Amino acid sequence: AQSVTQLDSQVPVFEEAPVELRCNYSSSVSVYLFWYVQYPNQGLQLLLKYLSGSTLVKGINGFEAEFNKSQTSFHLRKPSVHISDTAEYFCAVDANNQGGKLIFGQGTELSVKP
Amino acid sequence: DVKVTQSSRYLVKRTGEKVFLECVQDMDHENMFWYRQDPGLGLRLIYFSYDVKMKEKGDIPEGYSVSREKKERFSLILESASTNQTSMYLCASSPLLQAAATDTQYFGPGTRLTVL
């Protein structure tokens, strides 16, 4: 069965510092990968996705992620974070073409401090 | 913009009550999903539906049922609420694509349910 592991449950960082949120998945077939963000008291919204093509994917709010097939990773990065990036971030992988199902990681809480 | 709405943001119910959570989407999406979100566990799929009157069990269907009588509406039912069903419930929808079976899921704001 497919699974997604987010290696850090909490990441504290100072404003304007770079950040990397790590995500590893297990799959023996082609995958589609997603990062979602959840701001306090809101639902999830899509940050970026990898379906095919270039392994470096750019998303909203200055975030980007790199698909690494050999490492089965899809880490999320931002070169300089803002206070407003404080949120919970979820990595997700498709469940092998099962009608749109996604498998989500446990989430990473990003806390940006002034 | 896709809009997914959920009937309540906060809900408090008593053990044993029947609870209905409603979700409506306005983008004519085929797929709809119900998740529960608990700290440290991420999102877990309860049920999903890929067409009217069609439903499939997700990873944690026990204690829940669903109904999809119209394409835009997907209801989650707790037949007899229990305290371990206290959680955040998120609804999502997505289009059904021909070439790629997976695409962006659009989420509602969530319903925080407390069962006393």
Side-chain angles (χ1 to χ4, degrees):
Chain A
Q2 284 186 298
S3 65
V4 177
T5 302
Q6 291 182 241
L7 295 153
D8 306 293
S9 59
Q10 294 179 322
V11 174
V13 65
F14 287 106
E15 196 173 18
E16 298 184 8
V19 72
E20 178 180 81
L21 306 184
R22 296 180 292 167
C23 172
N24 285 90
Y25 65 91
S26 67
S27 174
S28 58
V29 296
S30 298
V31 294
Y32 304 126
L33 295 154
F34 302 78
W35 274 100
Y36 284 84
V37 60
Q38 185 180 34
Y39 298 106
N41 299 315
Q42 294 186 27
L44 278 69
Q45 64 182 84
L46 183 72
L47 263 182
L48 49 80
K49 61 185 176 184
Y50 171 80
L51 300 182
S52 65
S54 171
T55 57
L56 184 62
V57 181
K58 293 191 184 299
I60 61 171
N61 300 339
F63 283 93
E64 62 181 33
E66 185 152 23
F67 170 54
N68 187 320
K69 189 174 181 179
S70 62
Q71 307 257 348
T72 60
S73 69
F74 191 54
H75 300 334
L76 181 70
R77 301 185 185 102
K78 187 169 181 178
S80 175
V81 294
H82 302 290
I83 299 285
S84 59
D85 293 323
T86 295
E88 189 155 23
Y89 293 78
F90 292 94
C91 181
V93 63
D94 80 308
N96 278 343
N97 294 334
Q98 289 183 38
K101 283 175 61 177
L102 293 177
I103 309 295
F104 284 85
Q106 302 90 329
T108 297
E109 275 189 43
L110 175 65
S111 175
V112 182
K113 303 178 187 307
Chain B
D1 272 357
V2 176
K3 191 146 187 177
V4 180
T5 56
Q6 295 184 229
S7 49
S8 306
R9 291 301 303 271
Y10 299 94
L11 208 53
V12 179
K13 295 291 181 181
R14 297 217 172 266
T15 301
E17 280 193 77
K18 192 168 186 175
V19 182
F20 293 87
L21 303 182
E22 303 279 334
C23 175
V24 178
Q25 51 98 0
D26 67 358
M27 280 302 290
D28 201 36
H29 285 167
E30 289 80 8
N31 296 336
M32 294 189 76
F33 307 83
W34 274 108
Y35 296 91
R36 65 178 280 176
Q37 181 182 10
D38 300 288
L41 297 178
L43 275 70
R44 293 180 291 166
L45 183 64
I46 305 171
Y47 268 97
F48 70 103
S49 167
Y50 51 88
D51 202 351
V52 175
K53 297 194 186 293
M54 306 299 286
K55 61 185 179 184
E56 291 211 14
K57 293 180 180 179
D59 301 315
I60 52 164
E62 297 78 18
Y64 304 94
S65 62
V66 290
S67 171
R68 194 163 180 204
E69 297 296 319
K70 292 186 179 182
K71 191 174 186 180
E72 68 270 18
R73 188 179 298 268
F74 192 34
S75 302
L76 179 70
I77 303 151
L78 286 66
E79 296 289 344
S80 177
S82 63
T83 54
N84 62 14
Q85 292 179 309
T86 291
S87 186
M88 170 71 90
Y89 290 87
L90 292 167
C91 174
S93 73
S94 72
L96 183 65
L97 304 179
Q98 297 292 337
T102 302
D103 203 342
T104 305
Q105 290 188 11
Y106 296 88
F107 284 81
T111 295
R112 189 167 292 283
L113 172 67
T114 301
V115 182
L116 302 175

